[in-house]
Amino acid sequence: MTGEVEQTAARTEALGYEQARDELIEVVRRLEAGGTTLEESLALWERGEELAKVCRRWLDGARARLDAALAEEAGGADPAAAS
């Protein structure tokens, strides 16, 4: 069972942002629709939490890249402005 959990976690980590987001949307839709057992709802909730973490990591990474690019641009603009 531990190997299966590790494989699932590895597959989740390998998801792209759009894939994780789309799956998360589906999980939310299913939870909101109801009609699932408590056990199924808990499994969906846990999957949603995993997917939300993947999305957050992608967004945090994108923010860091954007901040770095903006800082580089700002740093490079000062010497040019002084010339």
Side-chain angles (χ1 to χ4, degrees):
M1 185 73 162
T2 302
E4 184 178 323
V5 170
E6 289 172 359
Q7 287 177 349
T8 300
R11 282 193 301 269
T12 299
E13 294 296 322
L15 288 175
Y17 172 77
E18 289 81 6
Q19 293 169 308
R21 182 204 57 210
D22 291 348
E23 188 177 339
L24 180 56
I25 289 168
E26 179 61 20
V27 165
V28 171
R29 186 197 64 73
R30 289 179 60 194
L31 285 168
E32 287 178 341
T36 58
T37 66
L38 177 59
E39 189 171 324
E40 290 168 334
S41 293
L42 286 172
L44 284 169
W45 180 271
E46 290 170 347
R47 181 64 179 156
E49 289 289 331
E50 292 172 7
L51 292 165
K53 287 177 187 175
V54 170
C55 289
R56 173 58 54 202
R57 278 194 290 275
W58 275 104
L59 292 172
D60 288 347
R63 169 56 66 192
R65 289 175 60 191
L66 180 59
D67 289 346
L70 290 172
E72 183 178 314
E73 184 177 297
D78 291 337
S83 300

